[in-house]
Amino acid sequence: MVLGNSFNNSTLGCVLLYTSKDKISWNQVSIIDESDGFLGYMWECPDFFELNGHFFLLFSPQGVKPKGDKYKNLYQTGYIVGDFDYSTNSFKLLRGFQELDYGHDFYATQTILDDMGRRIVIAWMDMWDQNYPEQRDGFNGQMTIPRELSLTRSGRIIQKPVKEIKGVHGKIIHFGKSNGGTSVLLNNNAAEVIIIASKSSDLEVFVESRNSTKTVNIKYDSRNGKVSLDRGGNDGLRRTEWRPKNILKMKIYVDASSIEVFCGKGEVTMSSRFFPDGPVQVRLGDESQAKLLQVIDLHQSVLINNNNLN
């Protein structure tokens, strides 16, 4: 059992490891890792798992100070990589803290190992101390799309939506090469959007209320090798480094009050809430060109059967 904790009069965070023979009586056997001050005063929601021969400690540190485009949320979620020795219960750090998602609303991740051997992560898609309008309806936040984890050659985590998402695909409402200014009105404000474009040109995508009162701007800056999501208002911009390898590909999931962006093979993701007024459309920036713009309806499904995915 891994347990989030704080020490040094609650000024530093850490994760403790406990073992038990009966799952009733537990003994602390080691400290997996602890903050040196940079990673804040509390490590929440720890998850410790093996992936491709290395061990990952995934957790949500509180109290990390912003640094340029990094760590701009109130609290963060990310991971460290190392090796674990079962005989000594010791963890050897190999790689320092890496944010898992670069949007506004991504916290308290947990993973499962499913029957097919996939490591699946789900996060709380919200952030502490946000005054979102949904609270008037008696709820706070939602869960992200389940994402399958894998690794790059350099050992960084890649996230991609689980294949079962195909079970909520509806009809294709737009498909083909698209010029700047192309707009597609969504049905029920929910869609899967796939964009393929040149990696050497800038790209802008707007997810917006049709009356333009609420807009999210997703942009790829080819010169500086950065991707950003800007939902406007105070603290609306999130940005990180990303350079597509061969061709620019984005997959964007839009729902009634959320956007989840997957860049490339999932090496960068951005998850943010937004609250549009009325019908929502997806629009290419006037100077943007897409080799492919595909928009697929998403609909509610009571049951997703794997047999229907073939």
Side-chain angles (χ1 to χ4, degrees):
M1 177 174 65
V2 290
L3 178 69
N5 196 12
S6 63
F7 67 104
N8 195 31
N9 294 322
S10 299
T11 61
L12 297 174
C14 66
V15 169
L16 308 177
L17 179 64
Y18 284 75
T19 62
S20 173
K21 293 182 178 181
D22 57 11
K23 300 180 183 178
I24 297 175
S25 300
W26 294 85
N27 298 303
Q28 181 184 333
V29 294
S30 69
I31 298 174
I32 294 179
D33 200 20
E34 59 188 21
S35 174
D36 59 2
F38 164 69
L39 282 178
Y41 57 82
M42 172 59 77
W43 290 6
E44 285 205 320
C45 304
D47 189 9
F48 192 51
F49 57 88
E50 184 178 1
L51 192 63
N52 289 20
H54 288 305
F55 284 81
F56 291 78
L57 177 61
L58 178 62
F59 61 102
S60 295
Q62 298 184 348
V64 181
K65 295 181 180 179
K67 184 179 180 182
D69 289 331
K70 296 181 177 182
Y71 320 130
K72 294 188 70 175
N73 292 336
L74 176 60
Y75 303 135
Q76 319 308 317
T77 293
Y79 60 91
I80 58 178
V81 188
D83 288 327
F84 182 70
D85 187 334
Y86 279 98
S87 64
T88 61
N89 294 308
S90 60
F91 177 74
K92 179 183 178 182
L93 182 66
L94 297 177
R95 199 171 298 114
F97 186 75
Q98 173 69 48
E99 287 180 279
L100 188 60
D101 188 277
Y102 298 91
H104 298 80
D105 300 287
F106 192 87
Y107 194 74
T109 49
Q110 290 292 287
T111 72
I112 61 169
L113 188 66
D114 75 358
D115 293 340
M116 291 181 280
R118 299 178 300 178
R119 178 64 60 175
I120 307 295
V121 68
I122 300 177
W124 178 47
M125 199 172 177
D126 204 283
M127 185 50 58
W128 294 103
D129 294 351
Q130 291 286 355
N131 186 26
Y132 288 148
E134 64 192 18
Q135 295 175 11
R136 296 192 296 268
D137 297 324
F139 72 97
N140 197 37
Q142 64 184 62
M143 310 310 289
T144 62
I145 290 173
R147 307 170 181 190
E148 181 179 356
L149 302 184
S150 60
L151 298 181
T152 65
R153 291 183 178 181
S154 62
R156 289 186 59 172
I157 286 180
I158 290 175
Q159 304 174 71
K160 65 178 181 181
V162 294
K163 65 180 182 179
E164 286 84 352
I165 197 70
K166 294 178 182 178
V168 294
H169 278 181
K171 65 180 180 178
I172 297 175
I173 57 177
H174 183 89
F175 180 90
K177 183 177 180 180
S178 300
N179 297 321
T182 299
S183 64
V184 182
L185 183 65
L186 307 185
N187 296 321
N188 299 317
N189 293 355
E192 177 187 272
V193 182
I194 297 175
I195 299 170
I196 296 176
S198 170
K199 69 174 185 179
S200 57
S201 300
D202 292 351
L203 178 74
E204 268 193 305
V205 184
F206 297 90
V207 181
E208 59 191 6
S209 302
R210 202 172 193 185
N211 59 16
S212 297
T213 57
K214 297 289 178 65
T215 298
V216 174
N217 180 354
I218 301 165
K219 182 176 181 180
Y220 169 66
D221 180 347
S222 60
R223 171 174 290 188
N224 296 305
K226 297 201 174 194
V227 62
S228 61
L229 184 153
D230 190 348
R231 64 182 182 185
N234 295 329
D235 192 32
L237 177 65
R238 292 292 181 271
R239 180 172 53 204
T240 191
E241 296 178 356
W242 180 52
R243 288 194 180 275
K245 291 185 181 292
N246 299 311
I247 195 167
L248 184 153
K249 182 176 181 180
M250 283 187 186
K251 186 176 285 188
I252 304 168
Y253 289 90
V254 182
D255 204 349
S257 66
S258 64
I259 294 178
E260 297 180 64
V261 182
F262 296 81
C263 298
K265 295 181 179 180
E267 56 266 29
V268 169
T269 66
M270 308 180 95
S271 306
S272 295
R273 306 295 303 283
F274 87 124
F275 297 88
D277 298 320
V280 170
Q281 65 182 14
V282 174
R283 175 172 59 90
L284 287 182
D286 291 340
E287 303 300 321
S288 298
Q289 300 288 325
K291 297 180 180 181
L292 173 66
L293 172 62
Q294 177 176 289
V295 183
I296 304 174
D297 270 343
L298 298 180
H299 58 80
Q300 293 182 349
S301 177
V302 176
L303 178 65
I304 300 175
N305 188 327
N306 288 338
N307 295 328
N308 294 331
L309 299 178
N310 298 327

